[in-house]
Amino acid sequence: AQKVTQAQTEISVVEKEDVTLDCVYETRDTTYYLFWYKQPPSGELVFLIRRNSFDEQNEISGRYSWNFQKSTSSFNFTITASQVVDSAVYFCALSEVVVRGGADGLTFGKGTHLIIQP
Amino acid sequence: GAGVSQSPRYKVTKRGQDVALRCDPISGHVSLYWYRQALGQGPEFLTYFNYEAQQDKSGLPNDRFSAERPEGSISTLTIQRTEQRDSAMYRCASSLSPGILAGAGNEQFFGPGTRLTVL
């Protein structure tokens, strides 16, 4: 069965610090996708990134970067020069590739509550 | 519409009543998903559709929960004989292509959710 672990329940940093959110996953499939979603205080779920299991290149988008390492089953998310607006709950999620019409839903971690203090 | 919409946004009901939650996906999106999110937890997958066909309902907690998408667009999640433990945020998401064709992983766009409270 697939599983996503976000061991950090809550992280608090001062604005402009860098912060890394950890995500460790478990799956028996060789083909799968990993995601990060942001849930700000307003409650919506905002898609941030998707990564497939065959692409281990790190990705950078502005102040956000993601480090995917299959060897350690991790997909960590780093925010550089954090800002107060980054305060939110961040979810890591996993989806296995459907072969014969099986479940295609996302398995989410429990989330990391990130607090950026001014 | 521009995004996934859900109605009602808030629903308060008494134990034992039936409730119907509606999801209107992004226009043209083939796949539609239902999730349940308890306070302080990540969303939990319930079921999903490609077009009007329900692909997997193994995530539904019990037979009081059912979902349909009769015309391949709007979907309704129905909970019969509600119980207090059903209280949660119910979220709907849609994605452009069926996962089985494009490979699971087409990003899912979530609606604002329906906050269900069972008294």
Side-chain angles (χ1 to χ4, degrees):
Chain A
Q2 50 188 349
K3 183 180 178 181
V4 175
T5 301
Q6 295 180 257
Q8 305 150 309
T9 304
E10 184 175 291
I11 300 174
S12 180
V13 300
V14 178
E15 197 172 22
K16 297 184 183 177
E17 287 186 10
D18 299 347
V19 59
T20 295
L21 310 181
D22 297 334
C23 173
V24 175
Y25 62 92
E26 296 176 25
T27 176
R28 288 176 295 185
D29 277 16
T30 56
T31 306
Y32 51 88
Y33 287 79
L34 296 162
F35 303 78
W36 277 94
Y37 282 84
K38 175 181 180 180
Q39 187 170 39
S42 52
E44 70 267 33
L45 275 168
V46 179
F47 167 79
L48 295 179
I49 190 172
R50 176 191 72 194
R51 173 68 61 193
N52 76 58
S53 54
F54 296 109
D55 183 1
E56 289 193 69
Q57 283 190 339
N58 291 332
E59 181 157 341
I60 298 174
S61 176
R63 296 183 296 105
Y64 295 172
S65 62
W66 291 269
N67 182 4
F68 175 34
Q69 292 194 347
K70 286 181 75 170
S71 60
T72 56
S73 296
S74 65
F75 186 43
N76 296 337
F77 172 31
T78 297
I79 301 175
T80 303
S82 60
Q83 300 176 2
V84 173
V85 293
D86 295 327
S87 296
V89 179
Y90 290 86
F91 291 100
C92 181
L94 166 72
S95 177
E96 294 173 338
V97 172
V98 173
V99 176
R100 292 182 300 278
D104 195 16
L106 298 175
T107 297
F108 283 83
K110 293 187 176 182
T112 297
H113 184 197
L114 178 62
I115 301 168
I116 310 297
Q117 299 178 13
Chain B
V4 179
S5 61
Q6 292 184 246
S7 61
R9 293 291 309 276
Y10 302 90
K11 177 69 177 179
V12 179
T13 190
K14 292 184 179 180
R15 183 165 51 94
Q17 297 294 308
D18 298 350
V19 296
L21 312 180
R22 172 184 165 128
C23 172
D24 197 344
I26 294 172
S27 178
H29 276 200
V30 170
S31 300
L32 184 148
Y33 307 79
W34 282 101
Y35 294 83
R36 178 171 67 174
Q37 186 175 14
L39 204 60
Q41 301 292 319
E44 172 192 11
F45 170 71
L46 297 178
T47 187
Y48 88 106
F49 295 82
N50 287 337
Y51 302 98
E52 72 283 356
Q54 191 168 17
Q55 298 297 313
D56 189 328
K57 53 183 181 180
S58 62
L60 297 175
N62 51 61
D63 60 8
R64 295 186 297 105
F65 287 73
S66 63
E68 62 175 9
R69 193 187 185 199
E71 297 179 359
S73 179
I74 294 169
S75 177
T76 302
L77 177 70
T78 301
I79 309 173
Q80 296 179 312
R81 306 180 303 280
T82 52
E83 301 177 4
Q84 287 184 331
R85 59 177 172 159
D86 298 334
S87 296
M89 176 73 83
Y90 288 82
R91 295 191 181 273
C92 173
S94 69
S95 67
L96 184 60
S97 299
I100 193 170
L101 298 179
N106 274 304
E107 49 267 42
Q108 296 178 21
F109 297 94
F110 283 81
T114 295
R115 170 73 66 190
L116 174 65
T117 302
V118 182
L119 302 176

